[in-house]
Amino acid sequence: MVSLVLPRLVDVSAASRRAASVTERNVAALKRVYWLLLLSGFVEPVLYLFSIGVGVGTLVGDLTLPGGQIVSYAAFVAPAMLASSAMTGALAETTFNFFGKMKYMKLYDGVIATPVRPFEIALGELAWAMGRGSAYSAAFLAVMVAMDLTTPLRALVALPAAVLVGFAFGALGMALATFLRSWQDFDLMGSAQFTLFLFSGTFVPATAYPAVLRWLVEVTPLYRSVHLIRGVALDGGGWSWLVDVAYLLLTIGLGLLVASRRMGRLLYK
């Protein structure tokens, strides 16, 4: 029995080290300019929070959550900006940068000449993307606490929720990148991303939409992400967050599966 289990543990350990080597390569290549990239990705959601959450919020007033809790409009918008920030950071790394490395730099053609396999490349790139997404999330949560839009304790709970969101969109973005044919395809992806940003319960509750549109909104990954973080940050979701977590975990699994299989086909052809 021990002889059967031990090789599996060794395989998992070796795979983890190989995936970590992919992450370490990215750290070594971009450590000098990475903080500028982090700054640019952090500023956008903060501007949205101040311009719409605070500015428009003075006209909207307070909102009543489904559980009956009354919150300010800025407090309602802030968790959505956090989810959108996690999405944007993860997608930026796992679509644009990942596509360039695979399609034009041919970086992974050299990597697969080593013992590193496509699935381990996907894990390593996803871990790298999560460094960016986690930094966005932590900085934005600090802003939320400073503005009294959530409590420090809830912010600590919201951080792993935001990391989970980043993982889900990172895996989804990596899978999507394997289907892109050229840089022009990113225009379509950008349109889809902006549509999600506008229609995921970001600025208005999903209940404000007609029934059919509401159903479409509620099955999107960003809505599930916003719903999860809003529930954690404001205590307005009850136990419905379990559905959101299950949805995002399933997205991670499917995204990594599709990405690794597609990478295997593209790199070994």
Side-chain angles (χ1 to χ4, degrees), residues 21-22 25 106-117 121:
S21 67
V22 176
R25 181 264 165 200
K106 302 295 182 181
L107 177 67
Y108 304 130
D109 290 0
V111 173
I112 60 172
T114 71
V116 180
R117 295 170 291 184
I121 294 175

Side-chain angles (χ1 to χ4, degrees), residues 16 95 126-127 140 163 169 183 186 212 226 235:
S16 299
T95 55
L126 185 57
F140 193 85
V163 171
F169 277 100
W183 296 115
F186 281 91
V212 175
V226 170
D235 193 26

Side-chain angles (χ1 to χ4, degrees), residues 2-199:
V2 174
S3 62
L4 292 176
V5 174
L6 189 57
R8 294 179 182 177
L9 294 176
V10 172
D11 288 345
V12 171
S13 176
S16 299
R17 289 197 302 271
R18 291 193 291 266
S21 67
V22 176
T23 306
E24 290 171 3
R25 181 264 165 200
N26 289 329
V27 172
L30 293 176
K31 61 182 179 181
R32 292 184 178 180
V33 299
Y34 196 60
W35 290 108
L36 293 176
L37 298 176
L38 289 178
L39 181 61
S40 64
F42 166 71
V43 168
E44 182 179 348
V46 172
L47 292 178
Y48 272 111
L49 175 60
F50 279 97
S51 63
I52 297 179
V54 178
V56 177
T58 58
L59 302 176
V60 175
D62 295 337
L63 292 179
T64 303
L65 299 179
Q69 183 182 6
I70 299 176
V71 299
S72 68
Y73 187 67
F76 177 82
V77 169
M81 293 298 98
L82 174 57
S84 299
S85 178
M87 174 188 73
T88 300
L91 286 180
E93 283 291 344
T94 57
T95 55
F96 190 87
N97 292 342
F98 180 78
F99 177 78
K101 293 173 187 176
M102 182 172 62
K103 183 82 170 179
Y104 293 98
M105 294 174 61
K106 302 295 182 181
L107 177 67
Y108 304 130
D109 290 0
V111 173
I112 60 172
T114 71
V116 180
R117 295 170 291 184
F119 182 73
E120 293 158 357
I121 294 175
L123 283 178
E125 290 291 356
L126 185 57
W128 167 247
M130 287 322 304
R132 182 172 179 172
S134 299
Y136 289 166
S137 300
F140 193 85
L141 280 167
V143 173
M144 288 178 61
V145 172
M147 295 178 63
D148 198 26
L149 301 178
T150 190
T151 64
L153 182 59
R154 293 197 181 280
L156 289 176
V157 179
L159 181 57
V163 171
L164 177 63
V165 171
F167 265 113
F169 277 100
L172 193 62
M174 198 176 301
L176 177 62
T178 62
F179 289 95
L180 298 177
R181 299 159 299 176
S182 67
W183 296 115
Q184 284 71 29
D185 289 343
F186 281 91
D187 292 338
L188 297 174
M189 195 202 78
S191 297
Q193 184 177 338
F194 191 62
T195 301
L196 283 178
F197 176 68
L198 292 178
F199 297 98

